[in-house]
Amino acid sequence: MTAQPRKVLQGATGDWEVVVGLEVHAQVSSNAKLFSGASAEYGAGPNENVSLVDAAMPGMLPVINRYCVEQAIKTGLGLNAKINTWSRFDRKNYFYPDLPQGYQISQYKDPIVGEGEIEVELDDGEVIKVGIERLHLEQDAGKSIHDLAPKESYVDLNRSGVALMEIVSKPHMRSAEEGSAYFSKLRTIVRYLGTCDGNMEQGSMRADVNVSVCRAGGYEKFLETGDFKHLGTRTETKNVNSIRYVRQVIDYEARRQIEVLEAGGQIDQETRLFNVATGETRIMRTKEDAHDYRYFPDPDLLPLEFSDEWVEEIRATLPELPDEKKRRFVEEYGLPLYDATILAMDREKADFFEAVAKGRDGKMAANWVMGDFFGALNKMDRDISDSPVSADQLGGLIDLIADKTISGKIAKDVFAIMLEEGGDPAEIVEKRGLKQVTDTGAIEKVVDDIIAANPDQVAQVKEKPKTMGWFVGQVMKATGGKANPQAVNDILKAKLGVE
């Protein structure tokens, strides 16, 4: 990979570069867990979704969930990554009260998905490429709860055994903006694919954020040699479950590390936690290396093997992904790149827009969807799924504007009625007498009356043609906003001698 343009942070002793890599844990969207038939549904009571396998009862053996494997392959394909048709599971040994087995079943040297790459668009329109190192399947641990009693901790094993995909990026991100944009893009991709719901508040997607700093020029040396020593010592901040928090962690850690190094200290390889209230990180433990976990192949599970044909069958089921959809929106609907990007970021929003835009002016549809419609949903704190206005109804409203039945101003009034009361826009316009006045004779009479009553304004228009807008406003006011704006302008120009 070629170096991105150098992005530096200024320190007291010179310039520094930030290097970021993310390890993202995405919960596989599946009904059952990775190695048991227990439900993976969120929100059950404590320890309700626990099988004997999840609780590590003696003699219980894991059985792989084929659907979870399929979901991992689908995700790998969506990341433009290599699918390994031979992989295996390993035991990652460590002790924690909410890990009943005393080890986690994961994949160490032989993951199901290898290297890939995705494009990430930044706020200014710049597009960067971020490499994917690997994706592997593993089981989640349970949850320890420490705040229910002063001297006791409780364990909920509902999450124990739930299937996770750990998606490991390469250290290709160079700023907080790039790190948060990558996390957001990854979330968009898995939601499009239907392989993870991306509900970060429920813990379905979270990131371990790796940050290091090096002197300006160090990153180019890393790219030339592949030697990680040029990147500095990294820290890992665990379980960051918000795009905004990812950005805050990177900003804070980069500045903290620069201050430590410039004061003559050194950065230790350690695991840290993010304090949402203060916006700071704190040390959790010194960072382990792979040998600390004593990985070895799980003797209860055979290697995972499948055919290339199965991979191609899964590939054939992939939906149109956000990058492809964005390009199509630009080409097919004539949308500006910005509009296409915003709409393609969320599959539900993209589908709604397409339903509105079908057979209509794409730009007008985008303006209504992104402006009035999304704005109304935000105010009402609603999602598209429970919107009081359907795509068909919004499309019908746009049709009334296009065929000049109503003006854009009246359309906004009709839309407000649709939000409040529901109903078909054409029926609302008919029942309330909101049709646009297109009878030029009727409009001309109103114009004549207003001109006759305002000789001073007429004289002013002859000196300053731009003041004709005052007459437009008076005509619209006199007709209750129903006069066709184009007809009003044409008649006024003719009557007032404005070119």
Side-chain angles (χ1 to χ4, degrees):
M1 177 177 172
T2 56
Q4 310 282 355
R6 184 181 295 174
K7 298 175 181 179
V8 298
L9 287 178
Q10 292 182 335
T13 62
D15 290 340
W16 298 83
E17 292 183 274
V18 183
V19 184
V20 180
L22 264 62
E23 300 168 21
V24 175
H25 293 86
Q27 181 178 322
V28 176
S29 291
S30 64
N31 293 328
K33 297 182 180 181
L34 184 56
F35 297 113
S36 81
S39 172
E41 185 179 359
Y42 177 83
N47 296 305
E48 286 185 0
N49 295 341
V50 184
S51 74
L52 296 177
V53 174
D54 307 324
M57 291 293 127
M60 296 296 105
L61 297 176
V63 178
I64 188 72
N65 182 333
R66 177 188 172 96
Y67 184 69
C68 291
V69 174
E70 181 179 335
Q71 292 284 69
I73 295 170
K74 186 180 288 188
T75 304
L77 293 172
L79 299 175
N80 307 302
K82 180 180 184 297
I83 307 301
N84 297 321
T85 55
W86 189 97
S87 63
R88 74 177 172 199
F89 288 96
D90 302 279
R91 290 187 180 181
K92 179 181 180 181
N93 296 275
Y94 65 96
F95 170 78
Y96 210 72
D98 54 25
L99 190 69
Q101 298 164 139
Y103 59 85
Q104 178 190 36
I105 301 177
S106 183
Q107 293 185 303
Y108 177 39
K109 289 190 174 178
D110 300 291
I112 188 171
V113 175
E115 292 187 336
E117 185 178 73
I118 63 172
E119 290 186 349
V120 177
E121 186 162 334
L122 306 180
D123 291 342
D124 62 1
E126 179 189 359
V127 176
I128 64 169
K129 291 184 177 180
V130 178
I132 304 297
E133 180 68 37
R134 56 186 277 153
L135 177 157
H136 62 262
L137 279 168
E138 63 185 21
Q139 58 179 179
D140 203 353
K143 180 180 180 182
S144 296
I145 304 165
H146 306 292
D147 56 0
L148 294 180
K151 296 183 179 180
E152 297 174 329
S153 290
Y154 292 79
V155 174
D156 181 1
L157 295 180
N158 281 344
R159 290 191 65 85
S160 178
V162 166
L164 298 178
M165 298 177 288
E166 182 169 341
I167 304 167
V168 183
S169 81
K170 294 189 175 184
H172 288 169
M173 291 157 280
R174 315 292 307 287
S175 67
E177 181 193 1
E178 291 184 8
S180 59
Y182 164 79
F183 189 39
S184 176
K185 181 62 174 286
L186 202 58
R187 180 172 182 256
T188 297
I189 290 172
V190 296
R191 294 180 79 178
Y192 259 78
L193 292 167
T195 56
C196 172
D197 62 23
N199 290 335
M200 293 181 286
E201 68 280 359
Q202 296 179 1
S204 295
M205 195 168 182
R206 53 194 189 269
D208 297 341
V209 184
N210 293 273
V211 180
S212 67
V213 296
C214 58
R215 282 293 185 183
Y219 193 77
E220 283 82 354
K221 291 178 182 176
F222 159 71
L223 292 176
E224 291 168 5
T225 64
D227 191 340
F228 282 86
K229 73 179 182 183
H230 295 296
L231 300 183
T233 302
R234 66 185 171 90
T235 63
E236 179 182 46
T237 304
K238 299 285 286 184
N239 295 328
V240 182
N241 67 341
S242 154
I243 295 167
R244 179 163 57 94
Y245 295 159
V246 165
R247 192 170 191 144
Q248 289 179 8
V249 165
I250 297 168
D251 273 333
Y252 176 81
E253 265 303 291
R255 284 295 178 190
R256 184 190 70 84
Q257 291 181 26
I258 290 171
E259 288 176 9
V260 169
L261 293 169
E262 290 191 328
Q266 67 175 27
I267 301 301
D268 296 320
Q269 185 173 325
E270 60 193 17
T271 300
R272 301 179 71 86
L273 291 175
F274 179 60
N275 186 320
V276 175
T278 63
E280 300 174 346
T281 67
R282 62 177 175 83
I283 185 169
M284 179 183 177
R285 59 175 181 264
T286 56
K287 177 65 180 168
E288 297 88 349
D289 290 312
H291 63 261
D292 293 319
Y293 291 114
R294 295 174 293 117
Y295 281 98
F296 63 87
D298 193 306
D300 291 334
L301 289 163
L302 290 170
L304 183 60
E305 296 183 74
F306 46 83
S307 67
D308 289 325
E309 288 74 20
W310 190 41
V311 175
E312 292 310 309
E313 287 176 17
I314 295 170
R315 190 192 302 275
T317 69
L318 294 183
E320 183 181 43
L321 291 173
D323 287 344
E324 301 163 356
K325 195 178 289 289
K326 176 177 67 177
R327 285 190 284 269
R328 183 170 62 79
F329 281 1
V330 171
E331 294 168 5
E332 188 173 324
Y333 296 105
L335 299 188
L337 184 60
Y338 174 81
D339 291 4
T341 301
I342 295 296
L343 289 167
M345 279 175 60
D346 182 277
R347 187 173 181 178
E348 190 177 26
K349 289 179 179 178
D351 290 346
F352 186 90
F353 161 73
E354 286 222 76
V356 173
K358 191 172 182 179
R360 302 182 176 96
D361 180 271
K363 181 57 181 169
M364 184 185 289
N367 287 343
W368 271 93
V369 170
M370 295 172 61
D372 296 80
F373 181 73
F374 286 166
L377 289 188
N378 285 338
K379 284 182 181 177
M380 300 167 76
D381 195 23
R382 289 197 184 190
D383 297 321
I384 289 176
S385 57
D386 61 352
S387 165
V389 177
S390 70
D392 284 344
Q393 289 171 331
L394 185 56
L397 182 63
I398 292 171
D399 289 339
L400 295 176
I401 303 170
D403 66 15
K404 296 183 169 49
T405 299
I406 57 175
S407 65
K409 182 179 182 302
I410 292 176
K412 291 184 181 295
D413 295 335
V414 174
F415 183 68
I417 295 168
M418 292 163 67
L419 287 172
E420 188 71 28
E421 304 173 11
D424 178 74
E427 291 180 6
I428 293 171
V429 169
E430 187 67 41
K431 287 180 180 177
R432 303 200 179 207
L434 298 175
K435 281 187 179 179
Q436 191 167 237
V437 177
T438 55
D439 179 356
T440 54
I443 297 173
E444 200 166 341
K445 184 179 184 310
V446 174
V447 169
D448 287 341
D449 290 345
I450 292 173
I451 287 176
N454 296 279
D456 292 343
Q457 287 292 135
V458 172
Q460 191 174 355
V461 168
K462 295 190 183 300
E463 293 178 15
K464 298 179 181 178
K466 288 185 179 179
T467 60
M468 190 184 83
W470 182 86
F471 281 97
V472 174
Q474 293 301 306
V475 174
M476 298 306 289
K477 183 178 179 182
T479 60
K482 297 178 187 177
N484 182 293
Q486 187 60 53
V488 171
N489 274 280
D490 290 344
I491 292 170
L492 280 170
K493 285 179 179 177
K495 297 278 185 181
L496 296 172
V498 175
E499 296 182 2

